[in-house]
Amino acid sequence: MENGALTKKQVLLYHCVEMEELARKIASESDCIHLHSINWRSFDDGFPNLFINNAHNIRGQHVAFLASFSSPAVIFEQLSVIFALPRLFVASFTLVLPFFPTGSFERMEEEGDVATAFTMARILSNIPISRGGPTSVVIYDIHALQERFYFGDHVLPLFVTGIPLLKQRLQQLPQTEKIVIAFPDDGAWKRFYKQLGHYPAVICTKVREGDKRIVRLKEGNPAGCHVVIVDDLVQSGGTLIECQKVLAAHGAAKVSAYVTHGVFPKRSWERFIHKGDGSEKAFTYFWITDSCPLTVKAIADKAPFEVISLAGSIADALQT
């Protein structure tokens, strides 16, 4: 075929209920990505009663599934579909799980601790192979770098980052020469400093004082600058708030934050909302991606939040 190297593969994209909006955005990024649907029903006892539409028509096709493991309750029904799709004689199967949810539970600090991140990786490592070989698993900014080694040889994990999307957004801001990147701890610095190396850096650190964990400035100078705190995920947001206070005390002109995964359990995003009581001085912008769709719905049109979509990045990953 002429120009065969330039021909992008056609991909049939299925998705869970929560991810419908992101799936539509991904499909709109490429003429080669086509949305297909699943009937997400349940029996009277609450267990799933699922049906993959057009199952006959997907034989020999490249198939992908966009997942959101936002709570233990939805994981089983999605796993049931994820294990079924590769067996429908598809040419290849890709699982896109933008947020690997148990990622912060990887440490075993004493005998009896259960490393649920390892359990999740073991489950995903047992996805059946398709006619095209092992399943590709696309994950964004996994929390602990060692978790890439938790996956077995029957899947091919593709670890992607949201940082290029942040860099695009930063380039649109006024006075880009005044931007400084702050890392809330050494872990965030190790994870991201190479990708953000052309910006000056500030590194914070957490130290214990009695029962409290205090955030201190470890190195760098935020004075007079627009400081952007960068991390992979946020839960309660306590560390970000303490970082902002330290940066402001050291003369930062403005403080913003970027996290790939806005988890925000128990509506903890509310503490960042601009309420007209001076709170807008704390965070100028708070950027998250749409990896956690329930959060995206909750914070829509609420300053300082701004959603940077993964749609284009996922569309590219599906066609590699």
Side-chain angles (χ1 to χ4, degrees):
M1 186 194 293
E2 280 188 60
N3 297 330
L6 301 175
T7 307
K8 285 194 168 179
K9 69 181 181 189
Q10 303 286 321
V11 179
L12 309 184
L13 178 60
Y14 289 88
H15 57 86
C16 67
V17 175
E18 282 172 27
M19 282 295 194
E20 182 167 358
E21 193 174 325
L22 179 52
R24 288 184 189 284
K25 282 184 185 164
I26 294 166
S28 72
E29 291 281 335
S30 170
D31 294 337
C32 299
I33 298 174
H34 311 280
L35 287 189
H36 279 234
S37 63
I38 291 163
N39 292 347
W40 299 95
R41 306 165 303 196
S42 52
F43 293 108
D44 290 343
D45 62 2
F47 275 83
N49 173 17
L50 310 168
F51 187 79
I52 297 166
N53 295 310
N54 301 313
H56 278 297
N57 300 339
I58 71 174
R59 290 186 174 190
Q61 305 284 335
H62 298 289
V63 172
F65 181 78
L66 179 61
S68 173
F69 291 178
S70 59
S71 70
V74 298
I75 292 176
F76 178 65
E77 64 179 15
Q78 290 180 57
L79 283 175
S80 300
V81 168
I82 289 162
F83 276 59
L85 283 167
R87 299 178 66 110
L88 293 172
F89 291 93
V90 300
S92 72
F93 181 60
T94 303
L95 168 63
V96 183
L97 179 63
F99 173 47
F100 185 74
T102 55
S104 50
F105 305 102
E106 84 289 350
R107 292 185 197 89
M108 287 185 62
E109 291 176 349
E110 62 175 316
E111 197 67 35
D113 280 343
V114 176
T116 49
F118 184 48
T119 307
M120 179 64 72
R122 286 166 82 186
I123 291 169
L124 296 178
S125 297
N126 282 291
I127 297 170
I129 61 169
S130 67
R131 288 173 69 188
T135 292
S136 303
V137 182
V138 180
I139 296 172
Y140 281 79
D141 289 320
I142 199 162
H143 182 67
L145 295 180
Q146 72 266 24
E147 285 165 18
R148 63 186 56 212
F149 305 113
Y150 290 0
F151 291 87
D153 292 340
H154 294 123
V155 293
L156 296 171
L158 175 62
F159 296 104
V160 204
T161 178
I163 295 298
L165 302 171
L166 168 66
K167 284 159 81 170
Q168 284 172 21
R169 182 66 186 92
L170 293 181
Q171 283 156 15
Q172 297 162 4
L173 295 177
Q175 294 186 296
T176 50
E177 75 284 354
K178 287 278 192 185
I179 293 172
V180 168
I181 301 297
F183 301 104
D185 52 37
D186 285 330
W189 177 79
K190 281 178 192 160
R191 190 179 293 111
F192 296 126
Y193 81 95
K194 283 185 178 166
Q195 299 172 69
L196 292 160
H198 58 293
Y199 288 105
V202 166
I203 304 172
C204 296
T205 187
K206 292 179 208 163
V207 291
R208 285 195 184 278
E209 285 191 4
D211 294 340
K212 287 185 179 173
R213 296 188 80 180
I214 311 285
V215 174
R216 293 257 169 84
L217 192 65
K218 184 178 172 186
E219 59 183 81
N221 180 16
C225 295
H226 181 181
V227 185
V228 180
I229 307 169
V230 173
D231 209 348
D232 60 318
L233 63 85
V234 59
Q235 297 264 9
S236 71
T239 298
L240 292 177
I241 285 169
E242 292 306 310
C243 267
Q244 183 274 330
K245 289 177 184 169
V246 169
L247 294 165
H250 284 82
K254 288 194 278 193
V255 178
S256 294
Y258 164 86
V259 294
T260 305
H261 310 298
V263 186
F264 288 123
K266 299 180 180 172
R267 295 172 65 89
S268 52
W269 49 265
E270 288 181 340
R271 64 200 300 194
F272 294 94
I273 295 296
H274 290 176
K275 302 181 183 76
D277 55 2
S279 57
E280 48 280 351
K281 290 184 183 141
F283 285 87
T284 307
Y285 297 100
F286 198 129
W287 295 290
I288 62 171
T289 76
D290 40 9
S291 67
C292 298
L294 299 180
T295 300
V296 169
K297 212 170 262 185
I299 56 96
D301 304 321
K302 292 182 172 71
F305 289 105
E306 196 176 288
V307 178
I308 300 174
S309 183
L310 296 174
S313 176
I314 292 172
D316 290 343
L318 288 178
Q319 295 179 310
T320 50

Coordinates of all heavy atoms in Angstrom, one line a residue, residues 213-289:
R213 N 3.8 17.5 60.7 CA 4.7 17.5 59.5 C 4.7 18.9 59.0 O 3.7 19.4 58.5 CB 4.3 16.5 58.5 CG 4.3 15.1 59.0 CD 4.1 14.1 57.9 NE 5.3 13.8 57.1 CZ 5.3 13.0 56.1 NH1 4.3 12.4 55.7 NH2 6.5 12.8 55.4
I214 N 5.8 19.6 59.1 CA 5.9 21.0 58.6 C 6.6 21.0 57.3 O 7.6 20.3 57.0 CB 6.8 21.8 59.7 CG1 6.4 21.5 61.1 CG2 6.8 23.2 59.3 CD1 5.1 22.2 61.5
V215 N 6.1 21.9 56.4 CA 6.7 22.1 55.1 C 7.7 23.2 55.2 O 7.4 24.3 55.7 CB 5.7 22.3 54.0 CG1 6.3 22.7 52.7 CG2 4.7 21.1 53.8
R216 N 8.9 23.0 54.7 CA 10.0 24.0 54.7 C 10.5 24.2 53.3 O 10.4 23.2 52.5 CB 11.1 23.5 55.6 CG 10.8 23.4 57.1 CD 11.4 24.7 57.8 NE 10.8 24.7 59.2 CZ 11.3 24.0 60.2 NH1 12.4 23.3 60.0 NH2 10.8 24.2 61.4
L217 N 11.1 25.3 53.0 CA 11.8 25.5 51.8 C 13.2 24.9 51.9 O 14.0 25.3 52.8 CB 11.9 27.0 51.5 CG 12.4 27.5 50.1 CD1 11.3 27.0 49.1 CD2 12.6 29.0 50.0
K218 N 13.5 24.0 51.0 CA 14.8 23.3 51.0 C 15.8 24.0 50.2 O 17.0 24.2 50.6 CB 14.6 21.9 50.5 CG 15.9 21.0 50.6 CD 15.6 19.6 50.2 CE 16.9 18.8 50.1 NZ 16.6 17.5 49.5
E219 N 15.5 24.4 48.9 CA 16.4 25.1 48.1 C 15.6 25.9 47.0 O 14.5 25.6 46.7 CB 17.4 24.2 47.4 CG 16.9 23.1 46.5 CD 18.0 22.2 46.0 OE1 18.4 21.3 46.8 OE2 18.4 22.4 44.9
G220 N 16.2 26.9 46.5 CA 15.6 27.7 45.4 C 15.1 29.0 46.0 O 14.9 29.2 47.2
N221 N 14.7 30.0 45.1 CA 14.2 31.3 45.5 C 13.0 31.6 44.7 O 13.0 31.9 43.5 CB 15.3 32.3 45.3 CG 14.9 33.7 45.7 OD1 13.9 33.9 46.4 ND2 15.6 34.7 45.2
P222 N 11.8 31.7 45.4 CA 10.6 32.0 44.7 C 10.3 33.5 44.7 O 9.3 33.9 44.1 CB 9.5 31.3 45.6 CG 10.1 31.3 47.0 CD 11.6 31.3 46.8
A223 N 11.1 34.3 45.2 CA 10.8 35.8 45.4 C 10.4 36.4 44.1 O 11.2 36.3 43.1 CB 11.9 36.5 46.1
G224 N 9.3 37.1 44.0 CA 8.9 37.9 42.9 C 8.4 37.1 41.7 O 8.2 37.7 40.6
C225 N 8.3 35.8 41.8 CA 8.0 34.9 40.7 C 6.6 34.3 40.8 O 5.9 34.3 41.9 CB 9.0 33.8 40.6 SG 10.6 34.4 40.3
H226 N 6.1 33.8 39.6 CA 4.8 33.0 39.6 C 5.3 31.6 39.8 O 5.9 31.0 38.9 CB 4.1 33.2 38.3 CG 2.9 32.4 38.2 ND1 2.1 32.4 37.0 CD2 2.2 31.6 39.1 CE1 1.0 31.6 37.3 NE2 1.1 31.1 38.5
V227 N 5.0 31.0 41.0 CA 5.5 29.7 41.3 C 4.4 28.7 41.1 O 3.3 28.8 41.6 CB 6.0 29.6 42.8 CG1 6.6 28.3 43.1 CG2 7.0 30.8 43.1
V228 N 4.8 27.6 40.3 CA 3.8 26.6 40.0 C 4.2 25.3 40.7 O 5.3 24.7 40.4 CB 3.7 26.3 38.5 CG1 2.7 25.2 38.2 CG2 3.3 27.6 37.8
I229 N 3.4 24.9 41.7 CA 3.7 23.6 42.4 C 3.3 22.4 41.5 O 2.2 22.4 41.0 CB 3.0 23.6 43.7 CG1 3.2 24.8 44.6 CG2 3.3 22.3 44.5 CD1 2.3 24.9 45.8
V230 N 4.2 21.5 41.3 CA 3.9 20.3 40.4 C 4.0 19.0 41.2 O 4.9 18.8 41.9 CB 4.9 20.3 39.2 CG1 4.7 19.0 38.4 CG2 4.7 21.6 38.4
D231 N 2.9 18.2 41.1 CA 2.9 16.9 41.7 C 2.1 15.9 40.8 O 1.3 16.4 39.9 CB 2.4 16.9 43.1 CG 3.0 15.8 44.0 OD1 3.7 14.9 43.5 OD2 2.9 15.9 45.2
D232 N 2.1 14.6 41.1 CA 1.4 13.7 40.3 C -0.1 13.6 40.7 O -1.0 13.4 39.9 CB 2.0 12.3 40.3 CG 2.1 11.7 41.7 OD1 2.4 12.5 42.7 OD2 1.8 10.5 41.9
L233 N -0.4 13.7 42.0 CA -1.8 13.6 42.5 C -2.0 14.4 43.7 O -1.1 14.8 44.4 CB -2.2 12.1 42.7 CG -1.5 11.3 43.7 CD1 -2.1 11.5 45.1 CD2 -1.6 9.8 43.4
V234 N -3.3 14.7 43.9 CA -3.7 15.4 45.2 C -4.8 14.6 45.8 O -5.7 14.2 45.1 CB -4.1 16.9 44.9 CG1 -5.2 17.0 43.9 CG2 -4.4 17.6 46.2
Q235 N -4.8 14.4 47.1 CA -5.9 13.8 47.9 C -6.5 15.0 48.7 O -7.4 15.7 48.1 CB -5.3 12.7 48.8 CG -4.7 11.6 48.0 CD -5.7 10.4 47.7 OE1 -6.9 10.5 48.0 NE2 -5.2 9.3 47.2
S236 N -6.1 15.2 49.9 CA -6.8 16.2 50.7 C -6.3 17.6 50.3 O -7.0 18.6 50.5 CB -6.5 16.0 52.2 OG -5.1 16.3 52.5
G237 N -5.1 17.7 49.8 CA -4.5 19.0 49.4 C -3.8 19.7 50.5 O -3.3 20.8 50.3
G238 N -3.7 19.1 51.7 CA -3.0 19.7 52.8 C -1.6 20.1 52.5 O -1.1 21.2 52.9
T239 N -0.8 19.2 51.8 CA 0.6 19.6 51.5 C 0.7 20.7 50.6 O 1.5 21.6 50.8 CB 1.3 18.3 50.9 OG1 1.3 17.3 51.9 CG2 2.7 18.6 50.5
L240 N -0.2 20.8 49.6 CA -0.2 21.9 48.7 C -0.4 23.3 49.4 O 0.2 24.3 49.1 CB -1.2 21.7 47.5 CG -0.9 20.6 46.6 CD1 -2.1 20.5 45.6 CD2 0.4 20.8 45.8
I241 N -1.4 23.2 50.3 CA -1.7 24.5 51.0 C -0.5 24.9 51.9 O -0.2 26.1 51.9 CB -3.0 24.2 51.9 CG1 -4.2 24.3 50.9 CG2 -3.1 25.3 53.0 CD1 -5.5 23.8 51.6
E242 N 0.1 24.0 52.6 CA 1.3 24.3 53.4 C 2.4 24.8 52.5 O 3.1 25.8 52.9 CB 1.8 23.1 54.2 CG 0.8 22.6 55.3 CD 0.4 23.8 56.2 OE1 1.4 24.5 56.7 OE2 -0.8 24.0 56.5
C243 N 2.6 24.2 51.3 CA 3.6 24.7 50.4 C 3.3 26.1 49.9 O 4.3 27.0 49.9 CB 3.6 23.8 49.1 SG 4.8 22.5 49.2
Q244 N 2.1 26.4 49.6 CA 1.7 27.8 49.2 C 2.1 28.8 50.3 O 2.6 29.9 50.0 CB 0.2 27.8 48.9 CG -0.3 29.1 48.3 CD -0.7 30.1 49.4 OE1 -1.1 29.7 50.5 NE2 -0.5 31.4 49.1
K245 N 1.8 28.5 51.5 CA 2.1 29.4 52.6 C 3.6 29.7 52.7 O 4.0 30.8 52.9 CB 1.6 28.8 53.9 CG 0.0 28.8 54.1 CD -0.4 28.1 55.4 CE -1.9 28.0 55.5 NZ -2.2 27.1 56.6
V246 N 4.4 28.6 52.6 CA 5.8 28.8 52.6 C 6.3 29.6 51.5 O 7.2 30.5 51.7 CB 6.5 27.4 52.7 CG1 8.0 27.5 52.5 CG2 6.2 26.7 54.0
L247 N 5.8 29.3 50.3 CA 6.3 30.1 49.1 C 5.9 31.6 49.2 O 6.7 32.4 48.9 CB 5.7 29.4 47.8 CG 6.2 28.0 47.5 CD1 5.3 27.4 46.5 CD2 7.6 28.0 47.1
A248 N 4.7 31.8 49.7 CA 4.2 33.2 49.8 C 5.1 33.9 50.9 O 5.5 35.1 50.7 CB 2.7 33.2 50.2
A249 N 5.4 33.2 52.0 CA 6.2 33.8 53.0 C 7.6 34.1 52.5 O 8.3 35.1 53.0 CB 6.3 32.8 54.2
H250 N 8.1 33.4 51.5 CA 9.4 33.7 50.9 C 9.3 34.6 49.7 O 10.2 34.7 48.8 CB 10.1 32.4 50.5 CG 10.7 31.7 51.7 ND1 9.9 30.8 52.5 CD2 12.0 31.7 52.2 CE1 10.7 30.3 53.4 NE2 12.0 30.8 53.3
G251 N 8.2 35.3 49.5 CA 8.1 36.4 48.5 C 7.5 36.0 47.1 O 7.6 36.8 46.2
A252 N 6.9 34.8 47.0 CA 6.3 34.5 45.7 C 5.2 35.5 45.3 O 4.4 35.8 46.2 CB 5.7 33.0 45.7
A253 N 5.3 36.0 44.1 CA 4.3 36.9 43.7 C 2.9 36.3 43.5 O 1.9 36.8 43.8 CB 4.7 37.6 42.4
K254 N 2.9 35.1 42.9 CA 1.7 34.3 42.7 C 2.1 32.8 42.9 O 3.2 32.4 42.6 CB 1.2 34.5 41.2 CG 0.6 35.8 40.9 CD -0.2 35.8 39.6 CE 0.7 36.0 38.4 NZ -0.1 36.2 37.2
V255 N 1.1 32.0 43.3 CA 1.3 30.6 43.4 C 0.2 29.9 42.7 O -1.0 30.2 42.9 CB 1.4 30.1 44.9 CG1 1.5 28.6 45.0 CG2 2.5 30.8 45.6
S256 N 0.5 28.9 41.8 CA -0.5 28.1 41.2 C -0.1 26.6 41.4 O 1.0 26.3 42.0 CB -0.5 28.3 39.7 OG -1.0 29.7 39.4
A257 N -0.9 25.7 41.0 CA -0.6 24.2 41.2 C -1.0 23.5 40.0 O -2.0 23.8 39.3 CB -1.3 23.7 42.4
Y258 N -0.2 22.4 39.7 CA -0.6 21.4 38.7 C -0.5 20.0 39.3 O 0.6 19.7 39.8 CB 0.3 21.5 37.4 CG 0.1 20.3 36.6 CD1 -0.9 20.2 35.6 CD2 0.9 19.1 36.7 CE1 -1.1 19.0 34.8 CE2 0.8 18.0 36.0 CZ -0.2 17.9 35.0 OH -0.4 16.8 34.3
V259 N -1.6 19.2 39.1 CA -1.5 17.8 39.5 C -2.1 17.0 38.3 O -3.2 17.5 37.8 CB -2.1 17.4 40.8 CG1 -1.4 18.0 42.0 CG2 -3.6 17.8 40.8
T260 N -1.5 15.9 37.9 CA -2.2 15.1 36.9 C -3.5 14.6 37.3 O -4.5 14.6 36.6 CB -1.2 14.0 36.4 OG1 0.1 14.6 36.0 CG2 -1.8 13.2 35.2
H261 N -3.5 14.1 38.5 CA -4.7 13.4 39.0 C -5.4 14.1 40.2 O -4.8 14.1 41.3 CB -4.4 11.9 39.5 CG -3.6 11.2 38.5 ND1 -4.1 10.9 37.2 CD2 -2.3 10.7 38.5 CE1 -3.2 10.2 36.5 NE2 -2.1 10.1 37.3
G262 N -6.5 14.7 40.0 CA -7.2 15.4 41.0 C -8.2 14.5 41.7 O -9.4 14.4 41.4
V263 N -7.7 13.7 42.7 CA -8.5 12.7 43.3 C -9.5 13.4 44.2 O -10.7 13.1 44.1 CB -7.6 11.7 44.1 CG1 -8.5 10.5 44.6 CG2 -6.5 11.2 43.2
F264 N -9.1 14.2 45.1 CA -10.0 15.0 46.0 C -11.1 14.2 46.6 O -12.3 14.5 46.4 CB -10.6 16.2 45.2 CG -9.6 17.3 44.9 CD1 -9.4 17.7 43.6 CD2 -8.9 17.9 45.9 CE1 -8.5 18.7 43.3 CE2 -8.0 18.9 45.6 CZ -7.8 19.3 44.3
P265 N -10.8 13.2 47.5 CA -11.9 12.5 48.1 C -12.7 13.4 49.1 O -12.1 14.4 49.6 CB -11.2 11.4 48.9 CG -9.8 11.9 49.1 CD -9.5 12.7 47.9
K266 N -13.9 13.1 49.3 CA -14.8 13.9 50.3 C -14.8 15.4 49.9 O -14.8 16.2 50.8 CB -14.3 13.7 51.7 CG -14.3 12.2 52.2 CD -13.9 12.1 53.6 CE -13.9 10.6 54.0 NZ -13.3 10.4 55.3
R267 N -14.9 15.7 48.7 CA -15.0 17.0 48.2 C -13.9 18.0 48.7 O -14.1 19.2 49.0 CB -16.4 17.6 48.6 CG -17.6 16.9 47.9 CD -18.9 17.4 48.4 NE -19.2 18.8 48.1 CZ -19.8 19.2 47.0 NH1 -20.1 18.3 46.0 NH2 -20.0 20.5 46.8
S268 N -12.7 17.4 48.9 CA -11.6 18.2 49.5 C -11.2 19.3 48.5 O -10.5 20.2 48.9 CB -10.4 17.3 49.9 OG -10.0 16.5 48.8
W269 N -11.7 19.3 47.3 CA -11.4 20.4 46.4 C -12.0 21.7 46.9 O -11.5 22.8 46.5 CB -11.9 20.1 44.9 CG -13.3 19.6 44.9 CD1 -13.7 18.3 44.9 CD2 -14.5 20.4 44.9 NE1 -15.1 18.2 44.8 CE2 -15.6 19.5 44.8 CE3 -14.8 21.8 44.9 CZ2 -16.9 19.9 44.8 CZ3 -16.1 22.2 44.8 CH2 -17.1 21.3 44.8
E270 N -13.0 21.6 47.7 CA -13.7 22.9 48.2 C -12.8 23.8 48.9 O -13.0 25.1 48.8 CB -14.9 22.5 49.1 CG -16.0 21.8 48.4 CD -17.2 21.5 49.3 OE1 -17.0 21.4 50.5 OE2 -18.3 21.3 48.7
R271 N -11.7 23.4 49.5 CA -10.9 24.3 50.3 C -10.0 25.2 49.3 O -9.4 26.1 49.8 CB -10.0 23.5 51.2 CG -9.0 22.5 50.5 CD -8.5 21.4 51.4 NE -7.8 21.9 52.6 CZ -7.0 21.2 53.4 NH1 -6.9 19.9 53.1 NH2 -6.4 21.7 54.4
F272 N -10.0 24.9 48.0 CA -9.3 25.7 47.1 C -10.1 26.7 46.3 O -9.6 27.5 45.6 CB -8.6 24.8 46.1 CG -7.5 23.9 46.7 CD1 -7.8 22.6 47.1 CD2 -6.2 24.4 46.9 CE1 -6.8 21.8 47.7 CE2 -5.2 23.6 47.5 CZ -5.5 22.3 47.9
I273 N -11.4 26.6 46.5 CA -12.3 27.4 45.7 C -12.2 28.9 46.0 O -12.1 29.3 47.2 CB -13.8 27.0 45.9 CG1 -14.0 25.6 45.3 CG2 -14.8 27.9 45.2 CD1 -13.8 25.4 43.9
H274 N -12.2 29.8 45.0 CA -12.2 31.2 45.3 C -13.5 31.7 45.8 O -14.5 31.5 45.1 CB -11.8 32.0 44.0 CG -10.4 31.8 43.5 ND1 -9.9 32.3 42.4 CD2 -9.4 31.2 44.1 CE1 -8.6 32.0 42.2 NE2 -8.3 31.3 43.3
K275 N -13.6 32.2 47.0 CA -14.9 32.6 47.6 C -15.0 34.1 47.7 O -16.0 34.6 48.3 CB -15.0 31.9 49.0 CG -14.9 30.4 48.9 CD -15.0 29.9 50.3 CE -14.9 28.4 50.4 NZ -13.5 27.9 50.3
G276 N -14.1 34.9 47.2 CA -14.2 36.3 47.3 C -13.9 36.9 48.7 O -14.1 38.0 49.0
D277 N -13.2 36.0 49.5 CA -12.8 36.4 50.9 C -11.3 36.5 51.0 O -10.7 36.4 52.1 CB -13.4 35.5 51.9 CG -12.9 34.0 51.6 OD1 -12.2 33.8 50.6 OD2 -13.3 33.1 52.4
G278 N -10.7 36.8 49.8 CA -9.2 36.8 49.8 C -8.6 35.5 49.5 O -7.4 35.3 49.3
S279 N -9.4 34.4 49.4 CA -8.9 33.1 49.1 C -8.2 33.0 47.7 O -7.4 32.2 47.5 CB -10.0 32.0 49.2 OG -11.0 32.3 48.3
E280 N -8.7 33.9 46.8 CA -8.1 33.9 45.5 C -6.6 34.3 45.5 O -5.9 34.0 44.5 CB -8.8 34.8 44.5 CG -9.2 36.2 44.9 CD -10.4 36.2 45.8 OE1 -11.1 35.2 46.0 OE2 -10.6 37.3 46.4
K281 N -6.1 34.8 46.6 CA -4.7 35.2 46.7 C -3.9 33.9 46.9 O -2.7 33.9 46.6 CB -4.5 36.1 47.9 CG -5.1 37.5 47.6 CD -4.7 38.4 48.7 CE -5.4 39.8 48.5 NZ -5.8 40.4 49.7
A282 N -4.5 32.8 47.4 CA -3.7 31.6 47.6 C -3.2 30.9 46.4 O -2.0 30.8 46.1 CB -4.5 30.7 48.5
F283 N -4.2 30.5 45.5 CA -3.8 29.8 44.3 C -4.4 30.6 43.1 O -5.6 30.7 43.0 CB -4.3 28.4 44.3 CG -3.5 27.5 45.1 CD1 -3.8 27.4 46.5 CD2 -2.4 26.8 44.6 CE1 -3.0 26.5 47.3 CE2 -1.6 26.0 45.4 CZ -1.9 25.9 46.8
T284 N -3.6 31.1 42.2 CA -4.0 31.8 41.0 C -4.7 30.8 40.0 O -5.8 31.1 39.5 CB -2.9 32.5 40.3 OG1 -2.2 33.3 41.3 CG2 -3.3 33.4 39.2
Y285 N -4.0 29.7 39.7 CA -4.6 28.7 38.9 C -4.4 27.3 39.6 O -3.4 27.2 40.4 CB -3.8 28.5 37.6 CG -3.9 29.7 36.7 CD1 -2.9 30.6 36.6 CD2 -5.0 29.9 35.8 CE1 -2.9 31.7 35.7 CE2 -5.1 31.0 35.0 CZ -4.1 31.9 34.9 OH -4.1 33.0 34.1
F286 N -5.3 26.4 39.4 CA -5.1 25.0 39.9 C -5.5 24.1 38.7 O -6.6 24.0 38.3 CB -6.0 24.7 41.1 CG -5.5 23.5 41.8 CD1 -5.3 23.6 43.2 CD2 -5.3 22.3 41.2 CE1 -4.9 22.4 43.9 CE2 -4.8 21.2 41.9 CZ -4.7 21.3 43.3
W287 N -4.4 23.6 38.0 CA -4.6 22.8 36.8 C -4.7 21.3 37.2 O -3.9 20.8 38.0 CB -3.5 23.0 35.8 CG -3.4 24.3 35.2 CD1 -4.3 24.9 34.4 CD2 -2.4 25.3 35.5 NE1 -3.9 26.2 34.0 CE2 -2.8 26.5 34.7 CE3 -1.3 25.4 36.2 CZ2 -2.0 27.6 34.7 CZ3 -0.5 26.5 36.2 CH2 -0.8 27.6 35.5
I288 N -5.7 20.6 36.7 CA -5.8 19.1 36.8 C -6.1 18.6 35.4 O -6.5 19.3 34.5 CB -6.8 18.6 37.8 CG1 -8.2 19.1 37.3 CG2 -6.6 19.1 39.2 CD1 -9.4 18.4 38.1
T289 N -5.8 17.3 35.2 CA -6.3 16.7 33.9 C -7.7 16.1 34.1 O -8.2 16.1 35.2 CB -5.3 15.6 33.4 OG1 -5.5 14.4 34.2 CG2 -3.9 16.1 33.4

